[in-house]
Amino acid sequence: MKSPTFAYERPQSLAEALALLAQKGADARPLAGGQSLIPMLALRLARPSVLVDLGRVEGLDELTLQDGVLVIGAMVRQRQLERNALVAEHLPLLVAATKVVGHPAIRNRGTLGGSLAHADPSAEYPAVALALDAEFVIQGPRGERVIPAQEFFLGPFTTALATDELLTSIRFPIPPTHSGWGMAEVARRHSDFALAGAVALLARADDGTCARAAIALFGVATRPLRATQAEQALVGRPFTTETFREVATLATESIDEPLSDVHGSAAYRRQLVPVVVRRALEEAAQRAAAR
Amino acid sequence: MERVPITVTVNGQTVSAEVEPRMTLADFLRDELGLTGTKLGCEHGVCGSCTVLWDGAAVRSCLVLAAQADGAAITTIEGLATEGQLHPVQQAFWEAHALQCGFCTPGMILTAVALLSEDANPSEQAIREALSGNLCRCTGYQNIVRAVQLAAERLRSSS
Ligand SMILES: Cc1cc2nc3c(=O)[nH]c(=O)nc-3n(C[C@H](O)[C@H](O)[C@H](O)COP(=O)(O)OP(=O)(O)OC[C@H]3O[C@@H](n4cnc5c(N)ncnc54)[C@H](O)[C@@H]3O)c2cc1C
Ligand code: FES
Ligand code: FES
């Protein structure tokens, strides 16, 4: 369980980090918190020849509110998100999601950007980013590009990032105040990866019906997904248990490539989907009502 | 392979060394500094037995490269006792029979120390959640939870 050998670089600036990635080619790998990459090295699932440690790169760990958008640097530690006052005020969903990402010792090192770039299909943050229509700011030798969450996650552990690019920040639009959020997951132990999970955001119209719905699933397919059929079926309907029950069953229709592994079969995970979706919707509806 | 120069404070003492990039903090502590109180169970982040404190916060030393720890202040189980006096959490583990083979104990104790430094009066649920990443194959956890409660009580009354 020891890693194979690799070289180690510790750039101080983004330009320096990008130059290293460009120069070392596909064998180089950025190192953020290391909470996924170091186990992969130990298990020899990854064999980069150079690690480019982002730990000292300036400007990647900022967290600011800009015109209704929370801009979070890729290197912001998960533990910081859990405790940041701006996040608590404007994006409590992100705090709730963070609390179930691994254990405190993992979150002390793990970063937001590392989790998103790692793109584990069972991870919480990718689904949160999808539900919130977050935008991913990417820097590379060809300059900056900004892509929507929908286009970032391509498959298991696969994203739209090229090997010479870095995710530098994530832009989370703050949901309108009259909306509510909910999150539910089923996992074997507290903080384990989910066997099925759902994130929901609901906006209520003046007549009490659903004005807008966003539902994202994780742990059930090879990448996080929006449950589009379920979302569409919910708009215009009243917030009742019957509606949620009915709509939740539709969520399984979005699963194109089901996830199946030793922790849970595809059939089992599929069975959990309506349960977690209904729970997330009920929680979101309560919060939308409480405002 | 080029070595990386690092300076780390371990249990209050400053140490400078040149390490191989792939060396984990756990191996550095154990093999270079002889601090074998830090245990290695899984070496890929799932058991928690290698937990140490990094600037006071719990981290898994098998999931950190020694090179990354440059500039950090690390506390291992060897650094908890002061002047021959066990740390209150160590004392409570002993008294509450919170260990059998003891392999998980350094990680459990350091995780508990980090928890109590942030939350002086954690609920049983909070203790269980904080320890959920640390595996014990012997005790069944009940006495570990009790030991943390006992230590919390004593730390509160002494401060
Ligand atoms: C025991 C345990 C339990 C866990 N439980 C959960 C859980 O329940 N839910 C969950 O979501 N996660 C869980 N994790 C994973 C954890 O959240 C990781 O911290 C996270 O997935 C990776 O973040 P990191 O900063 O450590 O990234 P690293 O491990 O450093 O990097 C991960 C990958 O992303 C790449 N990368 C990192 N940053 C960038 C960047 N800025 N630009 C481009 N590429 C980049 C790296 O090259 C690497 O391929 C768990 C981990 C452990 C060890
Ligand atoms: S040895 Fe580090 S977590 Fe198991
Ligand atoms: S006391 Fe033996 S593993 Fe915990």
Side-chain angles (χ1 to χ4, degrees):
Chain A
M1 294 296 208
K2 305 287 181 197
S3 303
T5 55
F6 49 78
Y8 174 81
E9 299 283 352
R10 189 191 286 153
Q12 311 280 326
S13 71
L14 184 60
E16 211 187 313
L18 290 172
L20 279 165
L21 289 176
Q23 174 199 333
K24 308 283 180 180
D27 284 343
R29 204 70 180 262
L31 172 66
Q35 302 302 290
S36 294
L37 184 51
I38 295 179
M40 288 198 296
L41 293 169
L43 297 167
R44 304 201 171 199
L45 295 171
R47 284 175 170 267
S49 58
V50 191
L51 290 191
V52 178
D53 186 353
L54 305 180
R56 306 231 171 141
V57 173
E58 267 184 59
L60 292 185
D61 59 354
E62 285 162 13
L63 202 162
T64 54
L65 184 61
Q66 298 171 12
D67 305 321
V69 178
L70 209 51
V71 184
I72 308 183
M75 285 298 289
V76 170
R77 307 270 172 197
Q78 295 159 2
R79 202 71 167 148
Q80 268 169 277
L81 291 180
E82 204 176 329
R83 295 167 170 180
N84 184 278
L86 274 181
V87 182
E89 184 183 345
H90 299 288
L91 268 188
L93 164 60
L94 195 55
V95 180
T98 301
K99 287 189 172 155
V100 289
V101 172
H103 316 283
I106 305 293
R107 303 198 288 272
N108 279 331
R109 298 292 306 160
T111 64
L112 174 66
S115 172
L116 294 169
H118 187 56
D120 189 312
S122 302
E124 286 82 4
Y125 288 138
V128 170
L130 264 187
L132 289 168
D133 290 316
E135 291 180 325
F136 289 60
V137 182
I138 296 169
Q139 304 267 358
R142 296 161 298 281
E144 181 183 293
R145 60 188 183 116
V146 181
I147 64 171
Q150 283 279 15
E151 288 167 28
F152 186 78
F153 302 102
L154 304 180
F157 309 102
T158 311
T159 68
L161 283 167
T163 52
D164 57 0
E165 287 182 317
L166 286 173
L167 176 61
T168 51
S169 65
I170 303 89
R171 304 163 51 87
F172 291 96
I174 293 169
T177 43
H178 58 278
S179 62
W181 60 273
M183 185 178 148
E185 67 174 48
V186 172
R188 291 289 286 275
R189 286 184 305 175
H190 176 83
S191 291
D192 269 3
F193 276 105
L195 295 170
V199 174
L201 273 153
L202 294 178
R204 185 188 279 265
D206 290 336
D207 64 0
T209 60
C210 176
R212 201 181 151 266
I215 303 169
L217 307 177
F218 57 102
V220 296
T222 53
R223 64 198 151 86
L225 294 173
R226 282 283 286 265
T228 322
Q229 286 95 330
E231 290 174 359
Q232 284 164 356
L234 193 50
V235 174
R237 304 272 299 274
F239 286 174
T240 62
T241 307
E242 295 80 73
T243 313
F244 293 148
R245 211 174 274 282
E246 181 193 321
V247 162
T249 55
L250 284 176
T252 48
E253 285 179 19
S254 305
I255 305 170
D256 45 3
E257 295 168 35
L259 183 66
S260 183
D261 62 19
V262 288
H263 304 293
S265 66
Y268 178 58
R269 289 168 193 266
R270 196 183 179 85
Q271 223 175 354
L272 292 175
V273 169
V275 180
V276 289
V277 171
R278 183 174 46 75
R279 286 180 190 163
L281 287 173
E282 278 172 356
E283 205 182 301
Q286 263 171 18
R287 289 203 174 91
R291 287 170 196 269
Chain B
M1 198 57 56
E2 212 170 305
R3 291 181 162 251
V4 187
I6 59 167
T7 299
V8 193
T9 306
V10 180
N11 300 332
Q13 288 202 320
T14 307
V15 189
S16 291
E18 295 209 337
V19 296
E20 222 193 313
R22 65 169 168 166
M23 175 172 269
T24 62
L25 176 60
D27 285 339
F28 177 71
L29 294 168
R30 290 174 53 85
D31 301 344
E32 301 291 310
L33 305 185
L35 296 171
T36 52
T38 299
K39 300 300 177 209
L40 280 170
C42 67
E43 288 190 273
H44 65 273
V46 297
C47 74
S49 61
C50 65
T51 306
V52 300
L53 303 183
W54 169 308
D55 296 337
V59 302
R60 299 188 164 181
S61 60
C62 76
L63 293 190
V64 190
L65 301 176
Q68 287 177 291
D70 180 41
I74 304 296
T75 306
T76 69
I77 192 73
E78 290 91 345
L80 282 188
T82 40
E83 292 162 16
Q85 284 279 312
L86 290 182
H87 183 282
V89 178
Q90 289 176 304
Q91 185 70 35
F93 265 61
W94 184 10
E95 288 176 30
H97 304 290
L99 58 139
Q100 288 177 27
C101 79
F103 194 86
C104 68
T105 313
M108 288 285 180
I109 289 179
L110 288 159
T111 304
V113 169
L115 168 70
L116 297 180
S117 73
E118 292 167 3
D119 182 355
N121 193 8
S123 63
E124 182 186 334
Q125 178 68 15
I127 295 173
R128 288 188 182 274
E129 279 182 17
L131 295 176
S132 66
N134 292 62
L135 301 184
C136 175
R137 301 303 301 271
C138 305
T139 62
Y141 302 99
Q142 307 293 356
N143 286 351
I144 296 180
V145 174
R146 270 178 218 131
V148 179
Q149 288 170 323
L150 179 63
E153 226 172 271
R154 289 190 183 156
L155 281 165
R156 281 199 307 277
S157 59
S158 71
S159 64

